[in-house]
Amino acid sequence: MESVKKKFLKKWVTGNVAVYSGALGCLHPLIAHGLTGDHDKLLTTPQFITHTLSLFVFMFLLVRTQQRTFQMAGKQKTAAGLWPFLFFTPWVFWLGYYTLFVPFDILFMFLSIGIINAIQLKPIVKFPTKWVWQCILGYFLAAVAGIIVGLGAYQLYYKDLPGIARDMATWLSISIPAALVVAYYFKYILAIQVLLPNDSVSDRMPEQKAHFPKVA
């Protein structure tokens, strides 16, 4: 029978790939651009609202998926964990967009997800100090992967496509590489960091193992 750890890690991978590619790659361009059309750097009020709404949808689906994944591992989280994402992430996205422009909106958004996860999940990992930098680094690498692949593909292949097809192709090319980094980088990190119900006694006391006296 498949262990809890394998089920947990498999759900983490499939959940993140589905949410990033589905909500960020498909729903975001449909909501943000499909309803109000193309825009220049300065958005109209309806365009700003639809972009923000699409980010709310993405964050809601992402956090709910994370919560359900950690519930499988016996790590209960309350709905309060959602609010920092809904409050900070869209506004950090806009801060990057209106100060430094693309691709800093994407970079700031991913870093905000990494920082919030670093803080919220810190109490349930084995090595909290190491977890903080591992988590932020993981989302930074995800952002870099998405930016390089997505914006590179836009310049090479997508910029002459019509309207929504261009936006959809670009955001899928951003979200899928980012999703793969988040899924598989954290699959490795979480396999070590998260204490699951079927972990052995030695796994439950990682920092004490070196202090046991060696019997001759």
Side-chain angles (χ1 to χ4, degrees), residues 187-201:
K187 180 183 179 182
Y188 171 75
I189 298 299
L190 291 172
I192 299 169
Q193 281 278 22
V194 175
L195 190 65
L196 298 173
N198 64 338
D199 283 346
S200 65
V201 174

Side-chain angles (χ1 to χ4, degrees), residues 148-161 170 173:
I148 291 174
V149 176
L151 299 188
Y154 171 83
Q155 290 296 331
L156 291 173
Y157 306 111
Y158 305 150
K159 62 182 179 180
D160 295 325
L161 293 176
T170 301
S173 296

Side-chain angles (χ1 to χ4, degrees), residues 17-37:
V17 171
V19 171
Y20 278 94
S21 58
L24 189 60
C26 294
L27 283 181
H28 174 68
L30 287 174
I31 296 172
H33 300 138
L35 297 177
T36 54

Side-chain angles (χ1 to χ4, degrees), residues 6 18 28 37-38 41 44 46 49 60-62 73 110 118 123 127 133 151 165 185-186 188 191 196 199 212 215-216:
K6 287 183 178 179
H28 174 68
D38 293 336
K41 181 176 181 180
T44 65
I49 291 171
F60 176 79
L61 293 174
L62 179 65
F110 274 88
F127 309 105
W133 68 259
L151 299 188
Y185 171 91
F186 282 101
Y188 171 75
L196 298 173
D199 283 346
F212 290 132
V215 179

Side-chain angles (χ1 to χ4, degrees), residues 2 6 29 65 77 102 119 121 128 152 167 190:
E2 199 171 26
K6 287 183 178 179
T65 300
K77 292 190 68 182
V102 178
I119 295 170
L121 300 179
D167 297 330
L190 291 172

